[in-house]
Amino acid sequence: SSGEEKKKDNMLKICGDGRKLALAPKLVGIDEASPKVRAVVENVYKVYRDHPEGTQLIFCDIGTPDDKGGYSVYQEVKEGLIDKGMLETEVAFIHDCGSSPVKREALIKKFNDGLVKVLLGSTAKMGEGVNLQKRVKALHHIDAPWRPSDVQQREGRILRHGNENEEVYIFRYLVKNSFDVFSWQSATRS
């Protein structure tokens, strides 16, 4: 296919751009603050303050950290939490482990021990087979995954035997009149 064809809109590109815009305008080249990211930071910090013994998981499949140093939703969330008063060591990205099983297990242990209070990751890196449930008080869906099974995998990290918290919170963030509504309808269809 020619370069000209790649520039044309198609349904997949429109859906991708709609999801990005609902998450953070910077992901589509618009230099505006994200009301969704701001809401996530406020809510995560409130849970941190109200439940200091608990940990929190933040799932986000778009705007993950990359080697190129471009805009990252993860970094914006982390910086916002640090600005509110959290320690840098209390907020971590599962992506920083790369493919090292040793680093991954060390991070999971720190999270389960409560040294890391907030862990950000994608469904692929933090979903199935990851045992993070020991102290999880809240789970935050910043974006909607594509498949209902992905929602189950995410929520399976908190709604799980071995979690010391009898009551937990699951938050879904949506921007009014955005692509989020379509995304969540697709993600929860069975």
Side-chain angles (χ1 to χ4, degrees):
S1 69
S2 71
E4 193 63 36
E5 286 179 28
K6 290 181 182 179
K7 291 180 183 177
K8 289 182 182 176
D9 284 337
N10 61 50
M11 189 58 174
L12 188 58
K13 183 175 180 343
I14 291 167
C15 289
D17 286 349
R19 293 179 77 210
K20 289 175 185 175
L21 184 61
L23 176 57
K26 290 178 184 177
L27 290 170
V28 292
I30 300 170
D31 193 20
E32 285 183 23
S34 168
K36 185 187 280 193
V37 171
R38 189 172 39 247
V40 169
V41 168
E42 292 293 329
N43 204 27
V44 169
Y45 188 73
K46 182 183 182 316
V47 173
Y48 168 80
R49 190 187 62 234
D50 293 349
H51 304 280
E53 72 292 341
T55 58
Q56 300 181 68
L57 293 170
I58 301 175
F59 279 95
C60 186
D61 294 344
I62 305 170
T64 59
D66 65 21
D67 300 348
K68 299 172 187 106
Y71 173 76
S72 160
V73 170
Y74 287 46
Q75 192 62 40
E76 187 172 340
V77 169
K78 183 174 186 172
E79 289 170 7
L81 291 171
I82 292 168
D83 287 348
K84 290 221 160 273
M86 290 187 72
L87 300 174
E88 186 173 353
T89 56
E90 292 180 312
V91 184
F93 308 156
I94 196 82
H95 293 72
D96 288 344
C97 297
S99 59
S100 169
V102 173
K103 286 182 182 178
R104 186 178 174 89
E105 287 305 313
L107 178 57
I108 290 169
K109 181 174 180 353
K110 283 182 182 179
F111 185 77
N112 280 328
D113 289 346
L115 300 173
V116 170
K117 298 291 187 182
V118 176
L119 184 59
L120 290 93
S122 64
T123 307
K125 292 195 179 280
M126 211 162 61
E128 187 175 355
V130 182
N131 295 315
L132 299 161
Q133 72 276 1
K134 187 173 180 188
R135 299 173 189 266
V136 183
K137 187 66 179 174
L139 182 143
H140 307 264
H141 295 280
I142 296 182
D143 62 359
W146 280 112
R147 301 172 301 185
S149 61
D150 291 340
V151 175
Q152 291 173 337
Q153 281 303 320
R154 287 176 171 194
E155 293 181 0
R157 302 314 98 214
I158 191 171
L159 301 175
R160 183 176 195 136
H161 179 71
N163 189 340
E164 295 172 355
N165 293 293
E166 288 184 26
E167 183 179 288
V168 296
Y169 305 103
I170 297 176
F171 300 98
R172 294 181 182 179
Y173 298 86
L174 285 84
V175 174
K176 192 174 183 177
N177 299 322
S178 77
F179 204 79
D180 280 342
V181 176
F182 175 80
S183 295
W184 275 108
Q185 286 173 339
S186 297
T188 55
R189 216 177 284 151
S190 40

